[in-house]
Amino acid sequence: MPARPRPLSVAVRTFAVATALALGLQACGETTTQVGEDDVVELRVTPDTGLLGVGRTIQLRGYALDETGAAISGVEVTWTSSDASVATVDENGLATGLTEGAVEVTASAAGLTATSSVTVAPPPAIELSSTSSAFAAQAGDADPAPDTIQITNGGSFALEGLAIDSVVYGAGADAWLTPALLQTTAPAELTVTASVAGVTTAGSYAAVVWLSGLEADPVPHSITLDVSPGAPT
């Protein structure tokens, strides 16, 4: 039996609902706007100033912004240094300090430029008020008074992470020296104490205390202990 045709009113209602759904989906769909270099109105570099140690690196970043201040991704940024003998910069904005001085690192994109002023300075350096300590005592006698050495920073950055790396003894007795670091950030104090309790033979003894710090070269402090024979009993 042939199918009965639907009433005209039902067909009209079905078409109307389908049309409304289609229009609604079209109205609710996302609109994607292609953003290009023509939309860039500002180029910004962070940090805009930097202090860089010789042999150190600093990461610079360039941001392309639209008129609302929003960052635009996908914009190519190129980098140059005003003096490559002082500091270089690679294609990713990583600057490396070579010698003391000042440079302008420039970012370029979409016909715009922005700069970061970078100063290259010496790294932290351990400086001691004295490079050696000397003790003298009689065998079996009281220990000599401790010696205190002032530690300062000879560089341009904070001198942190100070530590006693090692104590290296010369020939003869060992374990007669006790070094103590009172602070780990300069300015600091190093105290060295010599003990003759374990030294039974008269003579001259030597030791070296090695100090280190973050980003700083290790430095030695030399100590001598002269032990004379004890009083006869």
Side-chain angles (χ1 to χ4, degrees):
M1 176 181 295
R4 295 175 59 188
R6 291 183 297 174
L8 180 59
S9 59
V10 173
V12 170
R13 285 199 302 271
T14 302
F15 174 79
V17 171
T19 302
L21 286 172
L23 291 174
L25 290 173
Q26 183 178 359
C28 295
E30 292 185 356
T31 301
T32 302
T33 302
Q34 185 67 35
V35 177
E37 291 191 353
D38 292 341
D39 298 287
V40 179
V41 299
E42 181 184 356
L43 184 63
R44 189 174 300 170
V45 173
T46 60
D48 56 3
T49 60
L51 182 60
L52 180 60
V54 174
R56 284 184 169 184
T57 61
I58 184 174
Q59 181 64 61
L60 304 177
R61 302 188 187 280
Y63 298 94
L65 308 178
D66 64 15
E67 61 183 2
T68 68
I72 302 174
S73 62
V75 177
E76 182 180 2
V77 179
T78 59
W79 300 89
T80 56
S81 169
S82 63
D83 190 343
S85 68
V86 174
T88 59
V89 61
D90 67 11
E91 67 275 10
N92 299 313
L94 184 68
T96 302
L98 300 180
T99 59
E100 295 179 45
V103 296
E104 296 290 321
V105 177
T106 301
S108 302
L112 302 174
T113 60
T115 60
S116 176
S117 301
V118 177
T119 300
V120 181
I126 300 173
E127 290 192 351
L128 305 179
S129 59
S130 174
T131 59
S132 63
S133 299
F135 299 101
Q138 280 189 330
D141 203 351
D143 293 338
D147 190 19
T148 299
I149 301 93
Q150 303 298 321
I151 303 173
T152 55
N153 181 12
S156 298
F157 296 85
L159 176 54
E160 300 172 327
L162 288 169
I164 298 171
D165 274 353
S166 61
V167 179
V168 180
Y169 291 95
D174 58 13
W176 51 265
L177 181 69
T178 303
L181 196 59
L182 303 185
Q183 297 88 13
T184 58
T185 300
E189 289 184 349
L190 170 69
T191 299
V192 289
T193 303
S195 174
V196 295
V199 180
T200 58
T201 304
S204 294
Y205 303 94
V208 177
V209 175
W210 283 93
L211 299 171
S212 65
L214 293 177
E215 304 292 336
D217 292 332
V219 298
H221 182 75
S222 301
I223 301 99
T224 57
L225 172 62
D226 290 326
V227 180
S228 58
T233 58

Coordinates of all heavy atoms in Angstrom, one line a residue, residues 57-149:
T57 N 74.7 34.1 31.9 CA 73.7 34.3 30.9 C 72.4 34.9 31.5 O 72.2 34.7 32.7 CB 73.3 33.0 30.1 OG1 72.8 32.1 31.1 CG2 74.5 32.4 29.4
I58 N 71.6 35.6 30.7 CA 70.3 36.1 31.1 C 69.4 35.9 29.9 O 69.7 36.1 28.8 CB 70.4 37.6 31.5 CG1 69.1 38.0 32.0 CG2 70.8 38.4 30.3 CD1 69.1 39.5 32.6
Q59 N 68.2 35.4 30.2 CA 67.2 35.1 29.2 C 66.3 36.4 29.0 O 65.6 36.8 29.9 CB 66.3 33.9 29.6 CG 65.2 33.6 28.5 CD 65.8 33.1 27.2 OE1 66.5 32.1 27.2 NE2 65.6 33.9 26.2
L60 N 66.3 36.9 27.8 CA 65.5 38.0 27.4 C 64.3 37.5 26.6 O 64.5 36.5 25.8 CB 66.2 39.1 26.6 CG 67.5 39.6 27.3 CD1 68.2 40.6 26.3 CD2 67.2 40.3 28.6
R61 N 63.1 38.1 26.7 CA 62.0 37.7 26.0 C 61.3 38.9 25.3 O 61.2 39.9 26.0 CB 61.0 36.9 26.9 CG 61.6 35.7 27.6 CD 60.6 34.9 28.4 NE 61.2 33.9 29.2 CZ 61.6 32.7 28.7 NH1 61.5 32.4 27.4 NH2 62.2 31.8 29.4
G62 N 60.9 38.7 24.1 CA 60.2 39.7 23.3 C 58.7 39.3 23.1 O 58.4 38.2 22.8
Y63 N 57.8 40.3 23.4 CA 56.4 40.1 23.3 C 55.8 41.1 22.3 O 56.0 42.3 22.4 CB 55.7 40.3 24.6 CG 56.2 39.3 25.7 CD1 57.2 39.6 26.6 CD2 55.6 38.0 25.8 CE1 57.7 38.7 27.5 CE2 56.0 37.1 26.7 CZ 57.1 37.4 27.6 OH 57.5 36.5 28.5
A64 N 55.1 40.5 21.3 CA 54.4 41.4 20.3 C 53.0 41.6 20.9 O 52.3 40.6 21.2 CB 54.3 40.7 19.0
L65 N 52.5 42.8 21.0 CA 51.2 43.1 21.6 C 50.3 43.8 20.5 O 50.7 44.5 19.6 CB 51.4 44.1 22.7 CG 52.4 43.7 23.8 CD1 52.5 44.7 24.9 CD2 52.0 42.3 24.4
D66 N 49.0 43.5 20.7 CA 48.0 44.2 19.8 C 47.5 45.4 20.5 O 48.0 45.8 21.5 CB 46.8 43.2 19.5 CG 46.0 42.8 20.7 OD1 46.1 43.4 21.7 OD2 45.2 41.8 20.6
E67 N 46.5 46.1 19.9 CA 46.1 47.4 20.4 C 45.4 47.3 21.8 O 45.3 48.3 22.5 CB 45.1 48.0 19.4 CG 43.8 47.2 19.1 CD 43.0 47.8 18.1 OE1 43.3 48.9 17.5 OE2 41.9 47.3 17.8
T68 N 45.0 46.0 22.2 CA 44.4 45.9 23.5 C 45.4 45.5 24.5 O 45.1 45.4 25.7 CB 43.3 44.8 23.4 OG1 43.9 43.5 23.2 CG2 42.3 45.0 22.4
G69 N 46.7 45.3 24.1 CA 47.7 44.9 25.0 C 47.9 43.5 25.2 O 48.7 43.0 26.0
A70 N 47.1 42.7 24.4 CA 47.2 41.2 24.5 C 48.4 40.8 23.6 O 48.7 41.3 22.6 CB 45.9 40.6 24.0
A71 N 49.1 39.7 24.1 CA 50.2 39.2 23.4 C 49.7 38.4 22.1 O 48.7 37.7 22.2 CB 51.0 38.3 24.3
I72 N 50.5 38.5 21.1 CA 50.2 37.8 19.8 C 51.3 36.8 19.6 O 52.5 37.1 19.6 CB 50.2 38.8 18.6 CG1 49.2 39.9 18.8 CG2 49.9 38.1 17.3 CD1 49.2 41.0 17.8
S73 N 50.8 35.5 19.5 CA 51.8 34.5 19.4 C 52.1 34.3 17.9 O 51.4 34.7 17.0 CB 51.2 33.1 19.9 OG 50.0 32.8 19.2
G74 N 53.3 33.6 17.7 CA 53.7 33.3 16.3 C 54.4 34.4 15.6 O 54.7 34.2 14.4
V75 N 54.7 35.5 16.2 CA 55.4 36.6 15.6 C 56.9 36.4 15.8 O 57.4 36.2 16.9 CB 55.0 38.0 16.1 CG1 55.8 39.1 15.5 CG2 53.5 38.2 15.9
E76 N 57.7 36.3 14.7 CA 59.1 36.1 14.8 C 59.8 37.3 15.3 O 59.6 38.4 14.9 CB 59.7 35.7 13.4 CG 61.1 35.4 13.4 CD 61.7 35.1 12.1 OE1 60.9 35.1 11.1 OE2 62.9 34.8 12.0
V77 N 60.7 37.1 16.3 CA 61.5 38.1 17.0 C 62.9 37.9 16.7 O 63.4 36.7 16.9 CB 61.2 38.2 18.5 CG1 62.1 39.3 19.1 CG2 59.7 38.5 18.8
T78 N 63.7 38.8 16.2 CA 65.1 38.7 16.0 C 65.8 39.6 17.0 O 65.3 40.6 17.5 CB 65.5 39.1 14.6 OG1 65.1 40.5 14.3 CG2 64.8 38.2 13.5
W79 N 67.1 39.2 17.3 CA 67.9 39.8 18.4 C 69.2 40.2 17.9 O 69.9 39.5 17.1 CB 68.0 38.8 19.5 CG 66.8 38.4 20.2 CD1 66.0 37.3 19.8 CD2 66.1 39.0 21.3 NE1 64.9 37.2 20.6 CE2 64.9 38.2 21.5 CE3 66.3 40.1 22.1 CZ2 64.0 38.5 22.5 CZ3 65.4 40.4 23.1 CH2 64.3 39.6 23.3
T80 N 69.7 41.4 18.4 CA 71.0 41.9 18.1 C 71.6 42.6 19.3 O 70.9 43.1 20.2 CB 71.0 42.9 16.9 OG1 70.1 44.0 17.2 CG2 70.6 42.3 15.6
S81 N 73.0 42.6 19.4 CA 73.7 43.2 20.5 C 74.4 44.4 19.9 O 75.0 44.3 18.8 CB 74.6 42.2 21.1 OG 75.5 42.9 22.0
S82 N 74.4 45.5 20.7 CA 75.1 46.7 20.2 C 76.6 46.5 20.3 O 77.4 47.3 19.6 CB 74.7 47.9 21.0 OG 75.1 47.8 22.4
D83 N 77.1 45.6 21.1 CA 78.6 45.4 21.2 C 78.8 43.9 21.5 O 78.7 43.5 22.7 CB 79.2 46.3 22.2 CG 80.7 46.2 22.2 OD1 81.3 45.3 21.6 OD2 81.4 47.1 22.8
A84 N 79.0 43.1 20.5 CA 79.2 41.7 20.7 C 80.5 41.3 21.4 O 80.6 40.1 21.8 CB 79.2 40.9 19.3
S85 N 81.4 42.3 21.6 CA 82.6 42.0 22.4 C 82.3 42.0 23.9 O 83.0 41.5 24.7 CB 83.7 43.0 22.1 OG 83.4 44.3 22.5
V86 N 81.2 42.7 24.3 CA 80.8 42.8 25.7 C 79.8 41.7 26.0 O 79.9 41.0 27.0 CB 80.2 44.2 26.0 CG1 79.7 44.2 27.4 CG2 81.3 45.2 25.8
A87 N 78.8 41.6 25.2 CA 77.7 40.5 25.4 C 77.2 40.1 24.0 O 76.9 41.0 23.1 CB 76.6 41.1 26.3
T88 N 76.9 38.8 23.9 CA 76.3 38.3 22.7 C 74.9 37.9 23.0 O 74.5 37.7 24.2 CB 77.0 37.1 22.1 OG1 77.1 36.1 23.1 CG2 78.5 37.5 21.8
V89 N 74.0 37.8 22.0 CA 72.7 37.3 22.1 C 72.3 36.4 21.0 O 72.7 36.6 19.8 CB 71.7 38.5 22.2 CG1 71.7 39.3 20.9 CG2 70.3 38.0 22.5
D90 N 71.7 35.2 21.3 CA 71.4 34.3 20.3 C 70.0 34.5 19.7 O 69.3 35.4 20.1 CB 71.6 32.8 20.8 CG 70.6 32.4 21.8 OD1 69.6 33.1 22.1 OD2 70.8 31.3 22.5
E91 N 69.6 33.6 18.8 CA 68.3 33.8 18.2 C 67.1 33.6 19.1 O 66.0 34.0 18.7 CB 68.2 32.8 17.0 CG 68.1 31.3 17.4 CD 69.4 30.7 17.6 OE1 70.4 31.4 17.6 OE2 69.5 29.4 17.7
N92 N 67.3 33.1 20.3 CA 66.3 32.9 21.3 C 66.2 34.0 22.4 O 65.5 33.9 23.3 CB 66.4 31.5 21.9 CG 66.2 30.4 20.9 OD1 65.3 30.4 20.0 ND2 67.1 29.4 20.9
G93 N 67.1 35.0 22.3 CA 67.2 36.0 23.2 C 68.0 35.7 24.5 O 67.9 36.4 25.5
L94 N 68.9 34.7 24.4 CA 69.7 34.3 25.5 C 71.0 35.2 25.4 O 71.8 35.0 24.4 CB 70.0 32.9 25.5 CG 70.9 32.4 26.7 CD1 70.1 32.5 28.0 CD2 71.3 30.9 26.5
A95 N 71.2 36.1 26.3 CA 72.4 37.0 26.3 C 73.5 36.4 27.2 O 73.2 35.9 28.3 CB 72.1 38.4 26.7
T96 N 74.8 36.5 26.7 CA 75.9 36.0 27.4 C 76.9 37.1 27.7 O 77.3 37.8 26.7 CB 76.6 34.8 26.7 OG1 75.6 33.8 26.5 CG2 77.8 34.3 27.5
G97 N 77.3 37.3 28.9 CA 78.3 38.3 29.2 C 79.7 37.8 28.9 O 80.1 36.8 29.3
L98 N 80.5 38.7 28.2 CA 81.9 38.3 27.9 C 82.9 39.2 28.6 O 83.9 38.6 29.1 CB 82.0 38.5 26.3 CG 81.1 37.6 25.5 CD1 81.4 37.8 24.0 CD2 81.3 36.1 25.8
T99 N 82.7 40.5 28.6 CA 83.7 41.4 29.3 C 82.8 42.5 29.9 O 81.7 42.7 29.6 CB 84.7 42.0 28.3 OG1 84.0 42.7 27.2 CG2 85.5 40.9 27.6
E100 N 83.5 43.2 30.9 CA 82.8 44.3 31.6 C 82.4 45.4 30.6 O 83.2 45.7 29.7 CB 83.7 44.8 32.7 CG 84.0 43.8 33.8 CD 84.9 44.4 34.8 OE1 84.6 45.6 35.2 OE2 85.8 43.7 35.3
G101 N 81.2 45.9 30.8 CA 80.8 47.0 29.9 C 79.2 47.1 29.9 O 78.6 46.4 30.7
A102 N 78.7 47.9 29.0 CA 77.3 48.0 28.8 C 76.9 47.9 27.4 O 77.6 48.3 26.5 CB 76.8 49.4 29.4
V103 N 75.8 47.2 27.1 CA 75.3 47.0 25.8 C 73.8 47.3 25.7 O 73.1 47.2 26.8 CB 75.6 45.6 25.2 CG1 77.1 45.4 25.1 CG2 74.9 44.5 26.1
E104 N 73.3 47.5 24.5 CA 71.8 47.5 24.3 C 71.5 46.3 23.4 O 72.0 46.1 22.4 CB 71.4 48.8 23.5 CG 71.6 50.1 24.3 CD 70.7 50.2 25.4 OE1 69.5 49.9 25.2 OE2 71.1 50.7 26.5
V105 N 70.6 45.5 24.0 CA 70.2 44.3 23.2 C 68.8 44.6 22.6 O 67.9 45.0 23.3 CB 70.1 43.0 24.1 CG1 69.5 41.9 23.3 CG2 71.4 42.7 24.7
T106 N 68.7 44.5 21.3 CA 67.5 45.0 20.6 C 66.8 43.8 20.0 O 67.3 42.9 19.4 CB 67.9 45.9 19.4 OG1 68.6 47.1 20.0 CG2 66.7 46.4 18.7
A107 N 65.5 43.8 20.3 CA 64.5 42.9 19.7 C 63.8 43.6 18.5 O 63.4 44.7 18.7 CB 63.5 42.4 20.7
S108 N 63.6 42.9 17.4 CA 62.9 43.4 16.3 C 61.8 42.5 15.8 O 62.0 41.3 15.7 CB 63.9 43.7 15.1 OG 64.9 44.6 15.5
A109 N 60.6 43.0 15.5 CA 59.5 42.2 15.0 C 58.5 43.1 14.4 O 58.2 44.2 14.9 CB 58.9 41.4 16.1
A110 N 57.9 42.7 13.3 CA 56.8 43.4 12.6 C 57.2 44.9 12.4 O 56.3 45.8 12.5 CB 55.6 43.3 13.4
G111 N 58.4 45.2 12.1 CA 58.8 46.6 11.8 C 59.0 47.4 13.1 O 59.3 48.6 13.0
L112 N 58.9 46.8 14.3 CA 59.1 47.5 15.5 C 60.3 47.0 16.2 O 60.8 45.9 16.0 CB 57.8 47.3 16.4 CG 56.5 47.7 15.9 CD1 55.4 47.3 16.8 CD2 56.4 49.2 15.6
T113 N 60.8 47.8 17.2 CA 62.0 47.4 18.0 C 61.8 47.8 19.4 O 61.0 48.7 19.8 CB 63.3 48.2 17.5 OG1 63.1 49.6 17.6 CG2 63.6 47.8 16.1
A114 N 62.4 47.1 20.3 CA 62.5 47.3 21.7 C 63.8 46.9 22.2 O 64.4 46.0 21.7 CB 61.3 46.6 22.4
T115 N 64.3 47.5 23.3 CA 65.7 47.3 23.8 C 65.7 46.9 25.3 O 64.7 47.3 26.0 CB 66.6 48.5 23.6 OG1 66.1 49.6 24.3 CG2 66.7 48.8 22.1
S116 N 66.7 46.2 25.6 CA 67.0 46.0 27.0 C 68.5 46.4 27.3 O 69.4 46.1 26.5 CB 66.9 44.5 27.3 OG 67.3 44.2 28.7
S117 N 68.6 47.3 28.3 CA 69.9 47.8 28.7 C 70.6 46.8 29.6 O 70.1 46.6 30.7 CB 69.8 49.1 29.3 OG 69.2 50.1 28.5
V118 N 71.7 46.2 29.2 CA 72.4 45.1 29.9 C 73.8 45.6 30.3 O 74.6 46.1 29.5 CB 72.5 43.8 29.1 CG1 73.3 42.8 29.9 CG2 71.1 43.3 28.8
T119 N 74.1 45.5 31.6 CA 75.4 45.8 32.1 C 76.1 44.6 32.5 O 75.5 43.7 33.2 CB 75.3 46.8 33.4 OG1 74.6 48.0 33.0 CG2 76.7 47.1 33.9
V120 N 77.3 44.4 32.0 CA 78.1 43.2 32.3 C 79.1 43.6 33.3 O 79.9 44.5 33.2 CB 78.8 42.6 31.0 CG1 79.6 41.4 31.4 CG2 77.8 42.4 30.0
A121 N 79.1 42.8 34.4 CA 80.0 43.2 35.6 C 80.7 41.9 36.1 O 80.3 40.8 35.7 CB 79.2 43.8 36.7
P122 N 81.8 42.1 36.9 CA 82.5 40.9 37.4 C 81.6 40.0 38.3 O 80.7 40.5 39.0 CB 83.6 41.5 38.2 CG 83.7 42.9 37.8 CD 82.4 43.3 37.4
P123 N 81.7 38.7 38.2 CA 81.0 37.8 39.1 C 81.4 38.0 40.6 O 82.4 38.7 40.8 CB 81.3 36.4 38.6 CG 82.7 36.6 38.0 CD 82.7 38.0 37.4
P124 N 80.7 37.4 41.5 CA 81.2 37.5 42.9 C 82.5 36.9 43.1 O 82.9 36.0 42.4 CB 80.1 36.7 43.7 CG 79.4 35.9 42.7 CD 79.5 36.6 41.4
A125 N 83.3 37.5 44.0 CA 84.7 37.0 44.3 C 84.9 37.0 45.8 O 84.6 38.0 46.5 CB 85.7 37.9 43.6
I126 N 85.5 36.0 46.3 CA 85.8 35.9 47.7 C 87.1 36.6 48.0 O 88.1 36.3 47.4 CB 86.0 34.4 48.1 CG1 84.7 33.6 47.9 CG2 86.4 34.3 49.6 CD1 84.8 32.1 48.1
E127 N 87.0 37.6 48.9 CA 88.2 38.3 49.3 C 88.4 38.1 50.8 O 87.4 38.3 51.6 CB 88.1 39.8 48.9 CG 88.2 40.1 47.4 CD 88.4 41.5 47.1 OE1 88.3 42.3 48.1 OE2 88.7 41.8 46.0
L128 N 89.6 37.8 51.2 CA 89.9 37.6 52.6 C 90.7 38.7 53.2 O 91.6 39.2 52.5 CB 90.7 36.2 52.8 CG 90.0 35.0 52.2 CD1 90.9 33.8 52.5 CD2 88.6 34.8 52.8
S129 N 90.5 39.1 54.5 CA 91.2 40.1 55.1 C 92.7 39.7 55.3 O 93.6 40.5 55.5 CB 90.6 40.5 56.4 OG 90.5 39.4 57.3
S130 N 92.9 38.4 55.4 CA 94.3 37.9 55.5 C 94.3 36.5 54.8 O 93.3 35.7 54.9 CB 94.6 37.7 57.0 OG 95.9 37.0 57.1
T131 N 95.4 36.2 54.1 CA 95.5 35.0 53.4 C 96.1 33.9 54.2 O 96.2 32.7 53.7 CB 96.3 35.2 52.1 OG1 97.6 35.7 52.4 CG2 95.5 36.2 51.1
S132 N 96.6 34.2 55.4 CA 97.2 33.2 56.2 C 97.1 33.5 57.7 O 96.8 34.6 58.1 CB 98.7 33.1 55.9 OG 99.4 34.3 56.2
S133 N 97.2 32.4 58.5 CA 97.2 32.5 60.0 C 98.3 31.7 60.5 O 98.7 30.7 60.0 CB 95.9 32.0 60.5 OG 94.7 32.7 60.1
A134 N 99.0 32.3 61.6 CA 100.1 31.6 62.2 C 99.9 31.4 63.7 O 99.5 32.3 64.4 CB 101.4 32.4 61.9
F135 N 100.1 30.2 64.1 CA 99.9 29.9 65.6 C 101.2 29.3 66.1 O 102.0 28.7 65.4 CB 98.8 28.8 65.8 CG 97.5 29.2 65.3 CD1 97.0 28.8 64.1 CD2 96.7 30.1 66.1 CE1 95.7 29.2 63.6 CE2 95.4 30.5 65.7 CZ 94.9 30.0 64.4
A136 N 101.4 29.5 67.4 CA 102.6 29.0 68.1 C 102.2 28.6 69.5 O 101.4 29.3 70.2 CB 103.7 30.0 68.1
A137 N 102.7 27.4 69.9 CA 102.4 26.9 71.2 C 103.4 25.9 71.6 O 104.2 25.4 70.8 CB 101.0 26.3 71.2
Q138 N 103.5 25.6 73.0 CA 104.3 24.5 73.5 C 103.5 23.2 73.5 O 102.3 23.2 73.7 CB 104.8 24.8 74.9 CG 106.0 25.8 74.9 CD 106.5 25.9 76.3 OE1 105.8 25.8 77.3 NE2 107.8 26.1 76.5
A139 N 104.2 22.1 73.2 CA 103.5 20.8 73.3 C 103.0 20.6 74.7 O 103.6 20.8 75.7 CB 104.5 19.7 72.9
G140 N 101.7 20.2 74.7 CA 101.1 19.9 76.0 C 100.6 21.1 76.7 O 100.0 21.1 77.8
D141 N 100.8 22.3 76.1 CA 100.4 23.6 76.7 C 99.0 23.9 76.3 O 98.3 23.2 75.5 CB 101.4 24.7 76.4 CG 101.3 25.8 77.4 OD1 100.4 25.8 78.2 OD2 102.2 26.7 77.3
A142 N 98.5 25.1 76.7 CA 97.1 25.5 76.3 C 97.1 25.9 74.8 O 98.1 26.2 74.2 CB 96.7 26.7 77.1
D143 N 95.9 25.7 74.2 CA 95.8 26.1 72.8 C 95.9 27.6 72.6 O 95.5 28.4 73.4 CB 94.4 25.6 72.3 CG 94.3 24.1 72.3 OD1 95.3 23.4 72.2 OD2 93.1 23.6 72.3
P144 N 96.5 28.0 71.5 CA 96.6 29.4 71.2 C 95.2 30.0 70.9 O 94.2 29.2 70.6 CB 97.5 29.5 69.9 CG 97.4 28.1 69.3 CD 97.1 27.2 70.4
A145 N 95.1 31.3 71.0 CA 93.8 31.9 70.7 C 93.4 31.8 69.2 O 94.2 31.8 68.3 CB 93.9 33.4 71.1
P146 N 92.1 31.6 68.9 CA 91.6 31.5 67.6 C 92.0 32.8 66.7 O 92.2 33.9 67.3 CB 90.1 31.3 67.7 CG 89.9 30.9 69.1 CD 91.0 31.6 69.9
D147 N 92.0 32.6 65.4 CA 92.2 33.7 64.5 C 90.9 33.9 63.7 O 90.3 32.9 63.3 CB 93.4 33.5 63.6 CG 93.7 34.7 62.8 OD1 93.3 35.9 63.2 OD2 94.4 34.6 61.8
T148 N 90.5 35.2 63.5 CA 89.2 35.4 62.8 C 89.6 36.2 61.5 O 90.3 37.2 61.5 CB 88.2 36.3 63.6 OG1 87.9 35.5 64.8 CG2 87.0 36.6 62.8
I149 N 89.1 35.7 60.4 CA 89.4 36.3 59.0 C 88.0 36.9 58.5 O 87.0 36.2 58.5 CB 90.0 35.3 58.1 CG1 91.3 34.7 58.7 CG2 90.2 35.9 56.7 CD1 91.1 33.5 59.5

